[in-house]
Amino acid sequence: MGIFDFLGGGSGPEKALKLKSKVTQKYGDPTTRQKALQQLGEMKIPEAVSVLLQRYNITVEPLTTDADEKEHVFELVQSFGKDAVGPVTDFLRKNEAATSWALRLLEVLLPEAEVTTLVVETLTSLSGKYLRNHEKLVVLLHYVTGKQDPRIAAAVLPHLDDMADDVKLATLKALGPLKYEPAREPILKLLSNKEIARRVQTAALSALQESGFSTQGYREQVEAAMTEPFFLDGNGLVQRRA
């Protein structure tokens, strides 16, 4: 029999799961929630990490208390070390919200290359899937932006077809510096769509300029969508005025 059996509530994993309702309690005395968080932090079992992470799925008033508790959860999960990697990775893959917290935790638990691998795998798994909360994709796309890992471009490109403009914008920003040739035509097709928002057209022009892609086959459509500070030079390349 373990220590938590003596304290009541069954085994460690069972006790951790029973605390979930207190961790996610939005109203009432906040000390009940805070005590549950502290209890979980002392358990040092993977199930406790999984329950602690559920705190990121709610927002409480006042917002200062919310921020303080979420930072406290970050510190508690971090204290688990490598034992937290599995639960945090699972949270990243399965949860639509709180992606930024999951990434922040993984960044202190793992080398950057391993975090990038997880993000690439998650982006690939989410390709073509409908998400009610598109913030998850935006956060993941922002994470890989500016990184030169050869796996990133192929994982990013499919999200150019996402329904949300914010996802399109984040995808274009990530693709620009990668100069990924298979992205040329999809970007040009997106730019040619007269129904897309002006800010998406501008981001597409920026991605074409940064990539150095030719507009061959789409010159007329690109000219029709052209806006300052961009222009089309004699070689059919999008340029930005200084």
Side-chain angles (χ1 to χ4, degrees), residues 113-130:
E114 292 184 36
V115 181
T116 299
T117 294
L118 289 171
V119 173
V120 166
E121 290 174 353
T122 305
L123 282 169
T124 300
S125 71
L126 293 174
S127 176
K129 291 185 178 179
Y130 169 74

Side-chain angles (χ1 to χ4, degrees), residues 46-89:
E47 291 83 359
V49 176
S50 298
V51 178
L52 279 168
L53 292 169
Q54 296 307 309
R55 175 61 185 83
Y56 290 128
N57 285 332
I58 65 167
T59 300
V60 303
E61 298 290 345
L63 293 180
T64 52
T65 296
D66 188 69
D68 288 345
E69 287 184 15
K70 286 176 177 174
E71 284 292 346
H72 186 45
V73 169
F74 179 88
E75 293 167 1
L76 290 172
V77 173
Q78 184 180 353
S79 72
F80 282 72
K82 294 298 182 182
D83 289 339
V85 172
V88 176
T89 299

Side-chain angles (χ1 to χ4, degrees), residues 69-235:
E69 287 184 15
K70 286 176 177 174
E71 284 292 346
H72 186 45
V73 169
F74 179 88
E75 293 167 1
L76 290 172
V77 173
Q78 184 180 353
S79 72
F80 282 72
K82 294 298 182 182
D83 289 339
V85 172
V88 176
T89 299
D90 194 53
F91 184 80
L92 173 69
R93 288 171 173 161
K94 295 180 179 179
N95 230 55
E96 286 193 21
T99 302
S100 58
W101 283 105
L103 282 179
R104 187 178 158 196
L105 280 162
L106 288 171
E107 284 182 297
V108 300
L109 295 169
L110 293 172
E112 182 179 301
E114 292 184 36
V115 181
T116 299
T117 294
L118 289 171
V119 173
V120 166
E121 290 174 353
T122 305
L123 282 169
T124 300
S125 71
L126 293 174
S127 176
K129 291 185 178 179
Y130 169 74
L131 296 180
R132 291 174 298 175
N133 183 352
H134 60 260
E135 178 189 358
K136 177 171 186 172
L137 281 174
V138 172
V139 171
L140 293 172
L141 289 163
H142 283 171
Y143 179 81
V144 297
T145 298
K147 292 180 171 59
Q148 293 297 320
D149 189 296
R151 302 167 295 172
I152 290 173
V156 166
L157 180 56
H159 299 290
L160 203 58
D161 294 328
D162 195 274
M163 296 293 291
D165 284 351
D166 285 349
V167 175
K168 289 188 178 75
L169 291 168
T171 302
L172 288 164
K173 187 174 182 180
L175 285 172
L178 295 175
K179 306 181 190 301
Y180 183 55
E181 181 61 32
R184 186 188 82 91
E185 192 159 345
I187 294 174
L188 287 166
K189 286 182 177 179
L190 179 64
L191 182 62
S192 303
N193 184 349
K194 296 179 181 179
E195 296 182 0
I196 68 168
R198 170 57 70 178
R199 63 187 183 129
V200 177
Q201 285 186 324
T202 301
L205 287 168
S206 181
L208 288 170
Q209 181 267 323
E210 195 168 6
S211 299
F213 290 147
S214 167
T215 58
Q216 182 179 358
Y218 293 86
R219 185 172 184 122
E220 288 185 11
Q221 296 95 318
V222 173
E223 287 178 335
M226 196 62 63
T227 185
E228 291 291 340
F230 301 100
F231 67 95
L232 208 56
D233 69 12
N235 295 317

